[in-house]
Amino acid sequence: MARKSKIAKAKKQAELIKKYASLRQELKKAGNYQALAKLPRDSSPTRARNRDMIDGRSRGYLRKFGMSRLRFRDLAHQGKIPGVKKASW
């Protein structure tokens, strides 16, 4: 599990991205890059990192399921992810 501070930072960053999205879009259309540079750094969507919804792990993230590979494997073995079953051949 990721540190609680990393999870809290990711939530705060997501709020900043949402807050400044419309302003950022208008400034980009206008070509005002000096004003863009004055916005908070964490309001840029490219700085956001995908994290596991359950435990906050950032590495091994599966976009389709919104969780890390480790959590995915555990839940798949338990049969808690619909449409996913262990392969055998």
Side-chain angles (χ1 to χ4, degrees):
M1 181 165 165
R3 293 189 320 214
K4 290 183 181 179
S5 60
K6 289 284 187 184
I7 296 169
K9 182 182 177 185
K11 287 180 183 176
K12 184 179 176 183
Q13 192 174 18
E15 291 171 9
L16 270 176
I17 290 170
K18 193 182 293 185
K19 179 180 176 182
Y20 286 98
S22 60
L23 176 61
R24 185 171 283 279
Q25 190 175 21
E26 289 173 17
L27 291 174
K28 278 188 180 182
K29 281 184 183 177
N32 191 349
Y33 297 108
Q34 290 177 342
L36 265 174
K38 291 180 182 177
L39 294 178
R41 281 191 167 199
D42 279 345
S43 68
S44 174
T46 57
R47 287 176 61 94
R49 175 126 190 179
N50 291 327
R51 289 193 172 270
D52 187 329
M53 295 183 301
I54 300 165
D55 64 5
R57 184 180 167 88
S58 63
R59 302 245 180 134
Y61 180 82
L62 303 173
R63 284 181 186 218
K64 186 174 181 180
F65 299 99
M67 62 183 76
S68 68
R69 61 183 178 81
L70 302 174
R71 183 72 47 200
F72 173 79
R73 187 170 188 265
D74 287 341
L75 294 177
H77 282 305
Q78 295 171 14
K80 294 185 177 178
I81 302 175
V84 175
K85 63 180 182 178
K86 189 171 187 279
S88 60
W89 60 88

